[in-house]
């Protein structure tokens, strides 16, 4: 830890704090929405600490709030988190040299911490940036979730604010940066059409999984090229 503090740049710490502040706001919205969906406080905290992946947490709570079963919600969350596998392969050497530290660092692996570290190379600066950003995001996210939950519980009728639309809006906001690529838009649109078509016939939560068929659109495009 001492070596990390020696190699941490002041600019990196400033940028990590700014990013963590933004993450805290998103965490607060998650806490408020989880309360609106009826997720017990202890379960919300456990989900936030153990999973620590915003998109998956929003998705799991959204599926449960829509009446889906827990297995479908967990399966959808795991599928969404599967994108972290290549992240881990790419950044494993940056996180640490020893496996215990790598396993601990893997829990802090989210899109933002990976991008923040990779932007600063794979050397000592990148390692210090990863751990600093990851720890700050973990703390700010969970504190934000607790604050949001407590603040949300003070609102007499959350439904009056249209919070039922907040779940899909939050997921769409997280997805938008990836839609800059044409192949991502094609896959996303196909997945949305398949999921919407399946919604009237399948239990809540399952259409999200069926939407994985949208990946076939990417495969077809590669074969054509």
């Amino acid at each position: 830890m001492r070596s990390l503090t020696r190699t941490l740049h002041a600019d990196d710490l400033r940028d990590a704090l700014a990013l963590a502040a933004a993450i805290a706001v998103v965490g607060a919205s998650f806490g408020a929405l989880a309360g609106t969906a009826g997720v017990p406080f202890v379960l919300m905290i456990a989900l936030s600490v153990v999973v620590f992946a915003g998109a998956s947490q929003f998705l799991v709570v959204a599926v449960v709030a829509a009446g889906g079963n827990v297995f479908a919600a967990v399966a959808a969350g795991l599928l969404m988190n599967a994108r972290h596998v290549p992240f881990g392969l790419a950044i494993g050497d940056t996180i640490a040299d020893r496996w215990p530290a790598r396993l601990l660092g893997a829990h802090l692996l989210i899109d933002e911490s990976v991008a923040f570290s990779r932007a600063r190379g794979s050397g000592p600066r990148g390692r210090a940036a990863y751990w600093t950003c990851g720890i700050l995001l973990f703390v700010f996210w969970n504190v934000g979730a607790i604050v949001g939950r407590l603040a949300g519980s003070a609102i007499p009728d959350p439904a009056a604010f249209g919070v039922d639309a907040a779940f899909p809006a939050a997921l769409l906001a997280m997805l938008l940066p990836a839609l800059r690529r044409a192949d991502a838009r094609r896959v996303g649109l196909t997945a949305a059409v398949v999921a919407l078509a399946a919604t009237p016939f399948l239990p809540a939560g399952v259409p999200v999984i069926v939407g994985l068929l949208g990946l076939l659109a990417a495969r077809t495009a590669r074969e054509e090229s």
Side-chain angles (χ1 to χ4, degrees), residues 140-208:
F140 276 59
W141 169 266
N142 285 289
V143 171
I146 294 173
V147 172
R149 179 59 181 263
L150 297 177
S153 62
I155 301 175
D157 184 12
F161 292 89
V163 293
D164 55 329
F167 281 119
L171 290 172
L172 181 60
M174 294 181 179
L175 182 64
L176 282 178
L179 296 181
R180 293 171 183 164
R181 295 171 47 187
D183 57 344
R185 290 195 298 272
R186 185 168 53 250
V187 171
L189 180 61
T190 304
V193 170
V194 172
L196 287 174
T199 297
F201 308 103
L202 297 175
V206 178
V208 175

Side-chain angles (χ1 to χ4, degrees), residues 16-193:
L17 284 170
L19 181 59
I23 288 294
V25 176
V26 182
S29 66
F30 169 75
L33 294 171
T36 303
V39 178
F41 182 81
V42 175
L43 181 59
M44 185 210 76
I45 296 298
L47 181 64
S48 191
V49 171
V50 175
V51 177
F52 184 48
S56 297
Q57 291 180 225
F58 274 109
L59 180 58
V60 168
V61 174
V63 170
V64 173
N69 62 63
V70 175
F71 296 104
V74 172
L78 288 175
L79 287 172
M80 181 163 285
N81 265 2
R83 73 187 188 282
H84 289 161
V85 174
F87 289 177
L89 295 174
I91 203 171
D93 293 337
T94 301
I95 294 177
D97 298 323
R98 299 180 178 179
W99 276 104
R102 284 191 179 191
L103 292 176
L104 178 62
H107 191 59
L108 304 175
L109 192 154
I110 58 175
D111 300 11
E112 291 80 2
S113 60
V114 172
F116 190 86
S117 174
R118 297 297 286 180
R120 288 153 180 83
S122 56
R125 183 182 178 183
R127 178 173 296 184
Y130 178 85
W131 282 96
T132 301
C133 182
I135 292 172
L136 286 174
L137 294 186
F138 182 83
V139 172
F140 276 59
W141 169 266
N142 285 289
V143 171
I146 294 173
V147 172
R149 179 59 181 263
L150 297 177
S153 62
I155 301 175
D157 184 12
F161 292 89
V163 293
D164 55 329
F167 281 119
L171 290 172
L172 181 60
M174 294 181 179
L175 182 64
L176 282 178
L179 296 181
R180 293 171 183 164
R181 295 171 47 187
D183 57 344
R185 290 195 298 272
R186 185 168 53 250
V187 171
L189 180 61
T190 304
V193 170

